[in-house]
Amino acid sequence: MEKDKKLDKNIVYYVLGGAAVGAIAGYIVKKVGLKNVVNVLKTKKIIPDNLMETISEFTNKKSSDDYDLDDDIS
């Protein structure tokens, strides 16, 4: 029975730790800017090139490229 309680506490600690790390990362991205973070990741080769190309597509996407459901594509 005590092992179940310990497991539950560990799960809670992991969730809280993940939330804290996510909040810190979000704050840094907001202050520095997503494009600057992506550029640093590119230059340091932290993320593979093919994944960086995909991320760059989404960060460089203009609002004119977005389509609404009501838009006629034909």
Side-chain angles (χ1 to χ4, degrees), residues 37-49 52:
V37 171
V38 170
N39 287 336
V40 168
L41 293 175
K42 280 182 189 177
T43 57
K44 299 282 184 178
K45 302 276 185 191
I46 295 173
I47 296 179
D49 289 335
M52 287 307 301

Side-chain angles (χ1 to χ4, degrees), residues 67-72:
Y67 295 106
D68 290 333
L69 292 175
D70 298 334
D71 290 345
D72 197 17

Side-chain angles (χ1 to χ4, degrees), residues 24-59:
I24 292 169
Y27 177 77
I28 290 171
V29 168
K30 184 176 179 181
K31 287 292 182 182
V32 174
L34 184 61
K35 288 185 181 183
N36 291 335
V37 171
V38 170
N39 287 336
V40 168
L41 293 175
K42 280 182 189 177
T43 57
K44 299 282 184 178
K45 302 276 185 191
I46 295 173
I47 296 179
D49 289 335
N50 57 355
L51 184 59
M52 287 307 301
E53 289 174 8
T54 304
I55 293 171
S56 294
E57 277 184 34
F58 288 107
T59 57

